[in-house]
Amino acid sequence: MAGDEGLVFTTLLLIVAVFLRKRSRFLRNLRLLSLRGRQGANLAFLLSIQRRNRPRRRKLAWVYPRPQFWFEELLNNRNLDHLWREHFRVNRNTFDFICGIVGPYMSKQDTILRQAIPVEKRVAIALWRLATGNSYRTVALSFGIGRCTAMNIKDEFCSALMRRVNEFIKFPKTEDETRRCIQGFQNISTFPQVVGALDGSHIPITAPTENPNEYRNRKNFHSIVLQGVADANMKFIHI
């Protein structure tokens, strides 16, 4: 019984000590505030003004503003058509033709959160990446989008082209088609009976983890071999 009373008494002493310590700290802060007087009040007033005038954070933090209107100017100003081949390796008419081919596969709908990137801009992003070989970070900064967005757009563009590849890259099947190809080479060279000119290229890749030696070429680096056949007009008829 005596032990229980001692425990209760000790607990009460601890509670009183904590209360007195907090009370003394409160009184000390109160004295400091009183000594500061008008200076403290002015400081609090200035802080409240700064908080009131502080710019509000954007609710949509993931929509980061970037300079992105140079392409819109190039797209809308027909007087700048001479710049298309320099930047995208195709002229303006070819660019519009490509947009018509991949448009049904790359167009996106606007939402209540943001406006979708137009097809023309998506095609321009993909062509810029493929034509210049610039990093995705550089392409993203050039068009005012995110790095991952630029990567996804390029992949979507290539997938859209692959859906229509058989309509444009076709090896001659009929006798008339074969004869026209042969005649085209005879008009520009002395080689008879030539349907297409064949060549290959090594596309460098990072060595895969599985069977890396199977991708090492005769030039002693890892690659995937691309073989292409072109007709007399330098148009691919087989890859």
Side-chain angles (χ1 to χ4, degrees), residues 89-203:
R89 305 292 180 89
V90 296
N91 57 38
R92 176 61 185 268
N93 294 332
T94 303
F95 178 83
D96 294 337
F97 178 74
I98 295 174
C99 290
I101 293 174
V102 301
Y105 310 104
M106 297 188 65
S107 60
K108 306 295 182 180
Q109 292 183 350
D110 296 337
T111 65
I112 59 175
L113 299 178
R114 62 165 64 183
Q115 291 184 345
I117 301 175
V119 172
E120 293 81 4
K121 189 170 185 177
R122 300 171 74 87
V123 173
I125 292 169
L127 288 179
W128 188 285
R129 161 66 181 172
L130 296 173
T132 64
N134 290 348
S135 65
Y136 287 109
R137 188 178 304 278
T138 303
V139 176
L141 290 175
S142 299
F143 287 87
I145 60 174
R147 181 176 61 86
C148 292
T149 303
M151 185 184 304
N152 293 334
I153 288 176
K154 188 272 299 178
D155 291 341
E156 292 176 2
F157 177 77
C158 294
S159 298
L161 288 181
M162 289 300 297
R163 293 187 179 187
R164 305 286 299 273
V165 63
N166 294 328
E167 301 177 23
F168 300 96
I169 302 179
K170 298 182 294 184
F171 199 85
K173 296 181 179 180
T174 65
E175 184 177 349
D176 291 338
E177 292 176 350
T178 304
R179 186 180 298 107
R180 283 196 297 268
C181 288
I182 293 175
Q183 186 61 43
F185 276 102
Q186 288 181 348
N187 294 336
I188 63 174
S189 68
T190 58
F191 290 96
Q193 304 298 318
V194 176
V195 176
L198 183 147
D199 200 359
S201 177
H202 289 280
I203 310 300

Side-chain angles (χ1 to χ4, degrees), residues 50-82:
Q50 290 181 357
R51 286 193 296 269
R52 191 179 305 121
N53 296 331
R54 183 180 301 169
R56 296 181 179 180
R57 294 183 179 179
R58 298 175 62 91
K59 293 183 179 180
L60 300 178
W62 42 269
V63 182
Y64 186 77
R66 298 179 175 94
Q68 54 182 352
F69 298 109
W70 71 269
F71 174 73
E72 283 73 7
E73 176 65 21
L74 181 64
L75 184 66
N76 298 323
N77 191 347
R78 302 294 303 196
N79 294 325
L80 301 178
D81 284 357
H82 62 282

Side-chain angles (χ1 to χ4, degrees), residues 21 23-33:
R21 183 177 180 182
R23 182 172 180 272
S24 62
R25 186 183 302 169
F26 172 76
L27 294 175
R28 183 171 65 254
N29 293 336
L30 186 63
R31 286 194 298 271
L32 290 175
L33 289 176

